[in-house]
Amino acid sequence: MRPETWQLTDDLDDFLARAGGFLRSRPAPHTVPLTVTDTLRRHGLHYYGRGAPLFGTLTAADGTVLAALTHTPPHGLCLTAVTPEQAEALAERLAGLGHRFPEVSAERDSAAAFAAAWRRRTGREATVHRRQRLHRLGELTPPEPSPEGRPRIAGATDRELLMRWFGEFAQAVGEGAGRDAGPWADARLSYGGITLWEAADGTPLAMAGATREIAGQVRVAPVYTPAALRGRGYAGAVTAEVSRAARAAGAAEVLLFTDLANPTSNALYQRLGYGEVADFAVWAFGD
């Protein structure tokens, strides 16, 4: 038996029994697997798509969990931090079982290590698809002056709007192609998870969402303003409101990801009070 062993399962309860404490031990860098598994627990294993999810843990000889993975088709593989040696062992195991992934997402060095290992094991070329930075809210500084309008929690009558804006957002960032926006909208509406910034006459101008609180953390996502309404401060105002509300509700950490290729949004969130936590990367695999 190896000193460290990757254990794979399609059983969410089994995975959480083994990996739950590990994921909660670092809620900021583990924000994605925490929120993904919480969503699957609440809404079913096929919330993200028809394919069966895969979960995994890297366990030391004494039972200590060292790393974890989640895969929710059609999305890519999501990894917690791993060493190059651990990434190599995982690539060997997954390739040997015939698994395929469109991409891998992890902290920057871990993503690069797995992409290199996967290329060696499968021959599939790997390229950086997106570079991201995880931010944590410090002292919230709402934009001044505030733009025209006011915040409002989205309700059932906003469902069609949310579905349309989610589709536009997904297309803009290159994610979720072909995904049904209905389950996403319904899940967010079930707990007031989307805030709209609207004009005085009630016209929606922008939206910002927040995940449910788990392990003390809430992640702000998505933030979207239709193209024709950008540059007027609506995204900053609605993000500030969602951030304020999350903290007021008791979240110990309020987080968000930015795309490093978008200096405008990075500068905006820094002005609001978000500071850097860690850099992440998404590597895409060729056919």
Side-chain angles (χ1 to χ4, degrees):
M1 180 178 179
R2 294 180 178 178
E4 297 178 0
T5 305
W6 280 101
Q7 298 172 291
L8 305 177
T9 182
D10 59 2
D11 187 322
L12 177 60
D13 291 334
D14 174 61
F15 171 71
L16 290 176
R18 286 186 283 111
F22 167 75
L23 294 177
R24 291 171 179 271
S25 70
R26 298 183 66 208
H30 296 166
T31 176
V32 173
L34 280 168
T35 53
V36 164
T37 53
D38 184 61
T39 299
L40 294 176
R41 184 178 59 81
R42 292 175 181 274
H43 300 287
L45 290 179
H46 299 290
Y47 172 82
Y48 294 101
R50 295 182 179 180
L54 176 70
F55 313 102
T57 51
L58 177 65
T59 308
D62 64 359
T64 301
V65 175
L66 305 174
L69 70 85
T70 59
H71 177 221
T72 53
H75 301 292
L77 184 69
C78 177
L79 275 178
T80 63
V82 291
T83 67
E85 294 77 16
Q86 292 167 346
E88 191 73 45
L90 177 60
E92 178 183 9
R93 180 78 184 282
L94 293 173
L97 293 172
H99 290 287
R100 291 177 65 87
F101 310 98
E103 61 189 26
V104 62
S105 174
E107 291 185 55
R108 181 186 58 200
D109 294 345
S110 298
F114 182 84
W118 195 242
R119 183 171 53 237
R120 286 190 293 271
R121 295 289 175 178
T122 66
R124 297 181 68 189
E125 290 301 315
T127 56
V128 177
H129 176 59
R130 189 180 305 108
R131 298 187 187 277
Q132 300 173 306
R133 181 162 290 158
L134 178 64
H135 296 260
R136 177 190 290 115
L137 182 62
E139 181 178 352
L140 179 62
T141 306
E144 288 292 342
S146 179
E148 64 164 324
R150 62 200 174 204
R152 174 176 65 81
I153 302 296
T157 58
D158 301 301
R159 185 176 186 270
E160 294 299 320
L161 172 72
L162 298 189
M163 291 174 60
R164 183 171 74 252
W165 279 7
F166 178 79
E168 293 171 4
F169 169 81
Q171 183 175 14
V173 301
E175 294 182 351
R179 180 179 169 190
D180 183 1
W184 173 84
D186 293 337
R188 290 304 182 100
L189 288 169
S190 70
Y191 66 95
I194 294 290
T195 296
L196 299 173
W197 192 265
E198 63 178 18
D201 65 359
T203 301
L205 303 170
M207 74 172 180
T211 63
R212 289 181 183 269
E213 182 275 327
I214 181 171
Q217 61 83 38
V218 166
R219 189 172 72 258
V220 176
V223 177
Y224 179 71
T225 306
L229 298 173
R230 293 173 190 167
R232 307 180 191 184
Y234 303 140
V238 73
T239 300
E241 171 58 23
V242 167
S243 304
R244 181 205 63 77
R247 180 164 281 176
E253 295 187 307
V254 183
L255 311 165
L256 58 77
F257 280 103
T258 61
D259 185 341
L260 289 177
N262 188 337
T264 300
S265 64
N266 280 268
L268 166 64
Y269 297 130
Q270 289 172 9
R271 290 195 300 271
L272 293 179
Y274 281 88
E276 301 173 8
V277 176
D279 283 356
F280 284 67
V282 179
W283 286 73
F285 301 123
D287 293 328

